[in-house]
């Protein structure tokens, strides 16, 4: 079947009259969690962001026409589709021709997408896409056994597909999946992403431009993604992974996914004398941005966002690495003379990120709480229940995926009475706590339960109204546990609720031990 690839691509890329530019709407969905019996995906969210970046920079998707859903459930997916349909209807009312691009990265099984613990039938998704009102609907599904959606008429598991090359603008539905009905879709730490999406994005950035016209068509992108996905997975323990497609596309077939001809596009150029497979890595995050199969004798161009990159290739006994700063607009050429050799053990981009496709981030928040003491001294009046106001900061995805290091500070006050010699004495009570905690997210979705441990420094003070009584204070440490829930209303904003049971030793007339619980609710913002 592979021998037909040049012929099929030639048919797809016949020179035809240009179609009117269409308004492109994109819905991109990722969920690392698939419910019981699944392991969290490391790169699902990053893969969705990579596709969005390529479509926004090169694929004609305006900022207001991109609908991104990270970690959402099936109901949230329905809402995103409804928002996209409303945008399509609005554009159609203005006389614009529309195209809808849908991308999903996550879990799937038994004909259903698994968004956390909520299923969404692939048949329902197909119906929603077909009824969206867009002239062209393109779906990319990067999930295990996602080929189940292409078992209907037109399904193929081959390197390329042929479409009608008639004079009319393309119209219809195309579905591309990362694997067949009985195959797992695989991720790789080497490329910090899934094999299929990594190949798809590399192709969209220019690697799939078989015709050399600086436009990547749907057929070219699929052909490249198929070849690179099969080649990348043939030696993995799970075995080769075969992308599939199904199409019902009439009219002109050259649906252009990305256009690299604009004056604002920035390129990395590998000169003609270089050859081999090159990984292009973002220098700051150490994420793999793309992969280039460089043939000798011709330049290779890759449309990258401006920034600093490392370019590396593997030689038989060492690595060769180059550093380049891709400038805004136009081409930036990698100078082969500036590349240097390093041992495999000194790979500067070894161990590329292992954090659910998220670099560590900082959150700041405010909370309101209530401190309740559990033992007998409450009745004796030593430690009254106290309201708290506080702030917190967290370094999220620290050390490991979903591990979070937090610092918190809270202040509270109350009034109480204590008895001595048959008399009651009123006092003002103050509490100050400063804590450090390490928590672990149990799920990675819009609702994230977490547990962990905390060590706090606590200061309690009683000031008596009676001037003859001496004020009292206590400064000690209080180890404890943390359990709570974060509800993410967006990628960067969450509501939180938590319980923190703690234990301390204190001396009041005699040595005592005391347990207390902080219950708090708050909000936090990621920066």
């Amino acid at each position: 079947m592979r021998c037909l690839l040049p012929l099929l691509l030639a048919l797809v890329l016949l020179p035809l009259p240009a179609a009117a530019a269409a308004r492109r709407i994109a819905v991109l969905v990722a969920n690392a969690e698939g419910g019981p019996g699944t392991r969290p995906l490391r790169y699902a969210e990053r893969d969705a962001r990579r596709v969005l970046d390529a479509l926004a920079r090169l694929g004609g998707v305006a900022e207001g026409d991109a609908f991104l859903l990270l970690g959402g459930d099936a109901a949230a997916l329905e809402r995103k589709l409804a928002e996209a349909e409303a945008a399509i209807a609005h554009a159609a009312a203005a006389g614009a021709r529309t195209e809808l691009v849908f991308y999903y990265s996550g879990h799937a099984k038994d004909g259903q997408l698994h968004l956390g613990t909520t299923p969404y039938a692939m048949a329902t998704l197909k119906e929603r896409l077909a009824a969206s009102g867009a002239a062209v609907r393109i779906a990319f599904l990067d999930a295990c056994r996602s080929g189940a959606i292409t078992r209907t008429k037109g399904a193929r598991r081959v390197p390329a597909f042929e479409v009608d090359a008639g004079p009319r603008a393309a119209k219809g539905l195309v579905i591309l999946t990362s694997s067949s009905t009985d195959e797992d879709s695989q991720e790789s730490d080497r490329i910090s992403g899934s094999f299929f999406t990594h190949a798809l994005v590399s192709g969209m950035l220019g690697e799939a431009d078989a015709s050399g016209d600086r436009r990547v068509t749907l057929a070219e992108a699929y052909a490249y993604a198929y070849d690179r996905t099969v080649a990348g997975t043939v030696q993995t323990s799970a075995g080769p992974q075969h992308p599939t497609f199904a199409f019902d596309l009439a009219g002109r077939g050259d649906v252009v996914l990305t256009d690299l001809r604009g004056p604002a596009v920035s390129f990395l150029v590998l000169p003609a004398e270089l050859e081999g497979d090159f990984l292009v890595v973002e220098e700051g995050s150490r994420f793999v941005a793309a992969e280039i199969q460089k043939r000798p004798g011709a330049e290779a161009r890759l449309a990258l966002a401006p920034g600093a990159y490392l370019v590396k290739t593997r030689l038989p006994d060492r690595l060769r690495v180059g550093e380049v700063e891709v400038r805004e607009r136009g081409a930036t050429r990698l100078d082969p003379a500036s590349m240097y050799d390093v041992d495999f053990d000194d790979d500067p981009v070894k161990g590329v990120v292992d954090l659910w496709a998220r670099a560590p981030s900082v959150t700041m928040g405010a909370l309101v709480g209530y401190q309740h003491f559990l033992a007998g001294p409450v009745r004796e009046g030593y430690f009254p229940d106290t309201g708290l106001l506080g702030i917190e900061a967290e370094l999220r995805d620290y050390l490991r995926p979903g591990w979070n290091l937090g610092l918190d500070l809270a202040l509270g006050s109350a009034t109480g009475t204590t008895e001595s010699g048959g008399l009651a004495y009123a006092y003002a009570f103050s509490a100050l706590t400063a804590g450090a905690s390490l928590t672990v997210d149990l799920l990675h979705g819009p609702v994230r339960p977490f547990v962990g441990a905390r060590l706090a420094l606590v200061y309690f003070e009683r000031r008596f109204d009676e001037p003859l009584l001496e004020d009292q204070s206590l400064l000690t440490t209080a180890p404890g546990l943390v359990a709570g829930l974060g509800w993410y209303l967006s990628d960067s904003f969450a509501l939180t609720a938590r319980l923190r049971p703690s234990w301390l030793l204190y001396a009041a007339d005699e040595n005592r031990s005391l347990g207390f619980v902080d219950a708090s609710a708050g909000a936090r913002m990621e920066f």
Side-chain angles (χ1 to χ4, degrees), residues 129-186:
L129 296 176
S132 66
V136 175
R137 290 87 66 195
I138 304 167
F140 300 97
L141 303 184
D142 192 349
C144 295
R145 297 167 177 81
S146 51
I149 199 172
T150 63
R151 286 186 293 188
T152 55
K153 179 181 177 182
R156 300 287 189 277
R157 194 179 81 171
V158 293
F161 58 87
E162 176 184 358
V163 295
D164 176 25
R168 295 173 293 117
K171 185 175 183 179
L173 173 65
V174 178
I175 300 175
L176 310 181
T177 75
S178 62
S179 58
S180 63
T181 59
D182 57 352
E183 292 176 342
D184 290 333
S185 293
Q186 304 169 51

